[in-house]
């Protein structure tokens, strides 16, 4: 028996997919943990007064709601509800775009008060930039599953694509769960 | 049965969302009135655990649940 065939006998394909995704998420988490540690090593728990608390809270709320819509999208396709899947995926994409607009607004404000050359500026722009890049890549993948969903390529029996992308989207939310207090709330 | 499962899932989604929203408000209050960084770290960790367990279905990996056949 070939080694490839043996693997399929011992572990279902879905289990291997999920395990691979979790390992990928763990490796990504290392980068964000390193950034989080860097923030406290370089700046302690200080933060500038000019930081826009309102924008931080709104961005957090948007990402939180997008996690719910992503969860609903995954649930919909798991129950063969294609219109629901498309609706909630589109809502998640819209909220993700809104989050990026918020980050763009915050950057334009922040660069006036603490430009990237300053200590806190370096930390702030690196952390939010890295996170925004992950949001952007999540949006690209959400758009791809939306397009494939419209073509009817997913069903209750076959929806690994949406499951994986939604897990990734939740991971991006988890990162922000730590970044938000680390940047906006600690004192 | 599938409809029950679906509505149960929707309910879990709303409960988790309400919990996360509540903890975010708690975080904000801690920051403004208490300035306790340890409490902030604990709240953030609680939020992360809730997302990983309920939204990312981490337990699914151990149980090896499959898609509907």
């Amino acid at each position: 028996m070939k080694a490839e065939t043996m693997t399929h006998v011992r572990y279902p394909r879905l289990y291997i997919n999920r395990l691979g995704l979790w390992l990928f998420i763990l490796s990504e988490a290392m980068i964000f943990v390193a950034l989080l540690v860097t923030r406290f090593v370089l700046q302690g728990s200080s933060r500038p007064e000019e930081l826009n608390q309102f924008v931080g809270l709104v961005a957090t709320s948007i990402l939180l709601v997008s996690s719910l819509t992503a969860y609903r999208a995954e649930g919909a396709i798991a129950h063969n509800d294609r219109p629901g899947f498309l609706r909630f995926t589109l809502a998640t994409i819209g909220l993700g775009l809104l989050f990026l607009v918020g980050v763009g607004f915050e950057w334009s404000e922040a660069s006036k008060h603490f430009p990237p050359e300053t200590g806190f500026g370096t930390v702030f722009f690196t952390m939010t930039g890295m996170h925004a890049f992950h949001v952007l890549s999540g949006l690209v993948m959400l758009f791809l599953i939306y397009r494939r969903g419209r073509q009817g390529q997913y069903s209750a029996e076959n929806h690994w694509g949406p499951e994986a992308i939604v897990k990734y989207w939740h991971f991006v939310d988890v990162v922000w769960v730590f970044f938000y207090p680390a940047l906006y709330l600690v004192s | 049965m599938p409809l029950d499962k679906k509505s149960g899932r929707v309910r879990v989604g709303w409960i988790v969302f309400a919990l996360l929203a509540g903890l975010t408000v708690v975080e904000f209050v801690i920051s403004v009135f208490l300035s306790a960084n340890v409490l902030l770290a604990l709240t953030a960790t609680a939020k992360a655990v809730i997302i990983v367990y309920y939204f990312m279905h981490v337990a699914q990996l151990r149980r090896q649940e499959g898609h509907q056949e």
Side-chain angles (χ1 to χ4, degrees), chain A residues 63-92:
Chain A
L63 217 52
L64 213 63
V65 177
S66 82
S67 243
L68 178 66
T69 54
Y71 174 81
R72 294 289 303 274
E74 188 195 352
I77 199 64
H79 291 89
N80 260 333
D81 174 12
R82 203 161 69 91
F85 166 70
L86 294 175
R87 200 171 53 243
F88 284 117
T89 306
L90 205 59
T92 311

Side-chain angles (χ1 to χ4, degrees), chain A residues 84-127:
Chain A
F85 166 70
L86 294 175
R87 200 171 53 243
F88 284 117
T89 306
L90 205 59
T92 311
I93 292 171
L95 289 164
L97 285 172
L98 207 59
F99 177 83
L100 286 183
V101 169
V103 171
F105 175 76
E106 178 67 324
W107 275 20
S108 67
E109 291 267 297
S111 57
K112 291 176 201 157
H113 303 293
F114 40 90
E117 310 87 75
T118 60
F120 190 81
T122 306
V123 163
F124 181 82
F125 285 98
T126 309
M127 286 172 77

Side-chain angles (χ1 to χ4, degrees), chain A residues 18 78 81 163 167 187, chain B residues 6 9 37 56 65 67-68:
Chain A
R18 281 175 179 157
D81 174 12
E163 185 188 322
K167 274 192 173 68
S187 56
Chain B
K6 191 182 175 186
R9 196 188 159 104
N37 292 342
M56 296 174 81
E65 279 174 10
H67 291 170
Q68 283 179 22

Side-chain angles (χ1 to χ4, degrees), chain A residues 123-185:
Chain A
V123 163
F124 181 82
F125 285 98
T126 309
M127 286 172 77
T128 54
M130 189 61 146
H131 181 261
F133 177 72
H134 280 73
V135 171
L136 186 64
S137 56
L139 282 175
V140 171
M141 290 186 284
L142 280 169
F143 177 73
L144 289 177
I145 59 164
Y146 175 76
R147 210 178 63 171
R148 294 188 73 175
R150 277 190 68 165
Q151 293 164 353
Q153 295 191 26
Y154 300 122
S155 63
E157 296 79 28
N158 170 34
H159 60 274
W160 165 243
E163 185 188 322
I165 305 311
V166 166
K167 274 192 173 68
Y168 179 80
W169 191 257
H170 290 313
F171 165 68
V172 169
D173 192 22
V174 168
V175 171
W176 190 252
V177 157
F178 288 103
F179 276 21
Y180 170 61
L183 289 171
Y184 289 87
L185 300 180

